[in-house]
Amino acid sequence: MELNQLYCFRAVAETQNMTEAAEKLHVTQPTLSKVIKRLEDDLGVKLFDRRASHLKLNPYGSAYLVYVNQALDSLERGQQYLNIMTTGENMCLRLASTFLGMPTILVEQFVQLHPELSIVENINPPEDILGLLLNGHTDFALTLFPLDHPMVEQIISIREPLLLALPQTMEVPGEYVRLADYQTSRFAIFESGKDLNDSILRCCGEANFVPNIVYRSSRCQIVHQMVDELGVCTLLPAHQVVQHYDQLPPEAQCRIRMVDEPKCYRKICLSCLQTNKKPTPERETFADFGFRFFKNIEAEITEKLMRLHR
């Protein structure tokens, strides 16, 4: 298996169009088709359902995409870190997070505002985060749970709502939704990692049922399509809805609801290690930016949810 095969697979999976993916990769369509076929031969399974004019990830492809994204993201972050090392850059910050999506938005906005600073973001297992902070292997941690330790300072904590998305086959309720009304429904999770899974299990537990989770995927960009195709319900982090809401078709927008009973949310915490030394200017800059970033996210979510139910 070659690294190029993985980049080609990810491009085709994201576009679900061989011609568009070939243009993005600057290769010919026949060449790209051969690369994907060779990858499928190496794996021993088909990754796409091929139709007349387009491709569609099948369950094997959806499962494989989660690991390909994680592998390529790690390699790209490694290259970024080596570039920092070779240029002698000493104003480098490290961010360890336990989930995808919002951390990337945070880093992108920070780098745009402070191009003189470098930041390396890594996705880590939840059980490793506290040790990374205490051992000095990361400067900041972004988690979906508080880090309970006397040496850890929590900079910001917000409660991000989880919104219920329904397929076309289900009747759309009024403004108020009870999660217990969907206890016999099939559920899907559209985010890699266990954090969202734990939040959904907690919310359903508060509604006195265990959800029937039949599908997991990291393909957050086409959630509304998968919800309809699979006939499933899902709970979506509000920032994903805010980020992509205007691009959703109207029929998908009207099938997203806030859950009134119980209040469904997940907690997002930005933390750093307390120190007796004076914080470096770059650490103070990032901490201040992180505080304002999450306050802005919180305000944007509130405003968008008000529009959602007008």
Side-chain angles (χ1 to χ4, degrees):
M1 185 181 301
E2 301 173 359
L3 185 59
N4 181 56
Q5 291 176 315
L6 302 185
Y7 280 109
C8 289
F9 167 69
R10 183 168 70 174
V12 176
E14 289 176 347
T15 62
Q16 299 196 69
N17 184 290
M18 193 68 74
T19 300
E20 186 178 340
E23 292 176 353
K24 181 178 179 180
L25 295 168
H26 305 292
V27 299
T28 65
Q29 183 175 333
T31 298
L32 182 58
S33 297
K34 290 178 182 178
V35 171
I36 296 300
K37 185 179 185 305
R38 190 165 65 249
L39 175 62
E40 291 178 324
D41 290 342
D42 291 343
L43 294 172
V45 295
K46 297 295 183 183
L47 301 171
F48 297 92
D49 290 333
R50 289 163 172 80
R51 298 181 179 177
S53 59
H54 68 280
L55 300 175
K56 178 184 174 184
L57 277 174
N58 62 26
Y60 293 113
S62 296
Y64 192 53
L65 180 61
V66 174
Y67 296 98
V68 169
N69 281 334
Q70 291 175 350
L72 294 181
D73 286 347
S74 294
L75 290 174
E76 290 165 3
R77 290 189 181 96
Q79 180 65 57
Q80 179 185 12
Y81 192 70
L82 290 178
N83 291 340
I84 293 170
M85 293 177 64
T86 56
T87 57
E89 176 63 70
N90 59 0
M91 291 190 297
C92 174
L93 295 168
R94 298 159 298 174
L95 173 67
S97 59
T98 60
F99 62 108
L100 299 172
M102 190 179 289
T104 301
I105 300 172
L106 169 66
V107 170
E108 288 176 349
Q109 291 189 12
F110 177 76
V111 172
Q112 289 175 3
L113 191 61
H114 298 281
E116 76 282 4
L117 299 178
S118 299
I119 186 164
V120 177
E121 174 208 352
N122 285 300
I123 304 296
N124 300 94
E127 60 271 17
D128 293 349
I129 293 293
L130 181 58
L132 291 172
L133 269 179
L134 296 178
N135 294 328
H137 293 154
T138 191
D139 298 298
F140 295 91
L142 192 58
T143 61
L144 299 177
F145 50 87
L147 296 175
D148 187 16
H149 192 279
M151 292 295 295
V152 173
E153 176 186 359
Q154 189 168 283
I155 299 171
I156 185 68
S157 174
I158 68 169
R159 284 161 56 112
E160 180 185 25
L162 299 178
L163 309 181
L164 182 68
L166 301 172
Q168 290 180 349
T169 54
M170 287 189 178
E171 182 179 350
V172 179
E175 182 177 353
Y176 300 103
V177 177
R178 294 176 66 252
L179 194 58
D181 292 340
Y182 300 90
Q183 57 185 301
T184 61
S185 303
R186 291 155 31 107
F187 279 78
I189 298 177
F190 295 93
E191 183 177 274
S192 59
K194 67 184 291 290
D195 291 309
L196 183 59
N197 180 85
D198 290 347
S199 297
I200 291 177
L201 290 177
R202 174 180 53 78
C203 292
C204 292
E206 291 176 3
N208 298 314
F209 73 95
V210 177
N212 177 22
I213 299 174
V214 298
Y215 186 81
R216 289 178 171 84
S217 173
S218 63
R219 300 166 65 194
C220 303
Q221 68 274 22
I222 54 172
V223 166
H224 66 281
Q225 296 178 18
M226 301 301 295
V227 164
D228 286 334
E229 291 178 8
L230 296 170
V232 295
C233 303
T234 189
L235 286 170
L236 299 173
H239 84 273
Q240 287 182 11
V241 177
V242 167
Q243 187 180 12
H244 301 292
Y245 185 77
D246 292 335
Q247 287 75 50
L248 293 176
E251 61 271 19
Q253 292 178 348
C254 70
R255 287 184 279 108
I256 297 175
R257 288 289 185 272
M258 287 190 67
V259 181
D260 187 63
E261 185 183 334
K263 299 293 185 183
C264 292
Y265 67 91
R266 65 178 184 178
K267 181 175 287 188
I268 300 177
C269 304
L270 179 64
S271 307
C272 67
L273 188 66
Q274 290 184 357
T275 175
N276 294 327
K277 300 179 181 178
K278 183 179 179 180
T280 61
E282 55 267 26
R283 281 171 59 94
E284 287 187 326
T285 298
F286 185 79
D288 179 66
F289 174 83
F291 180 85
R292 288 183 285 107
F293 171 84
F294 283 105
K295 286 300 182 184
N296 291 338
I297 284 284
E298 199 169 28
E300 186 179 6
I301 287 173
T302 301
E303 187 273 336
K304 185 74 80 169
L305 293 183
M306 290 176 63
R307 287 175 49 196
L308 188 65
H309 295 291
R310 283 175 184 168

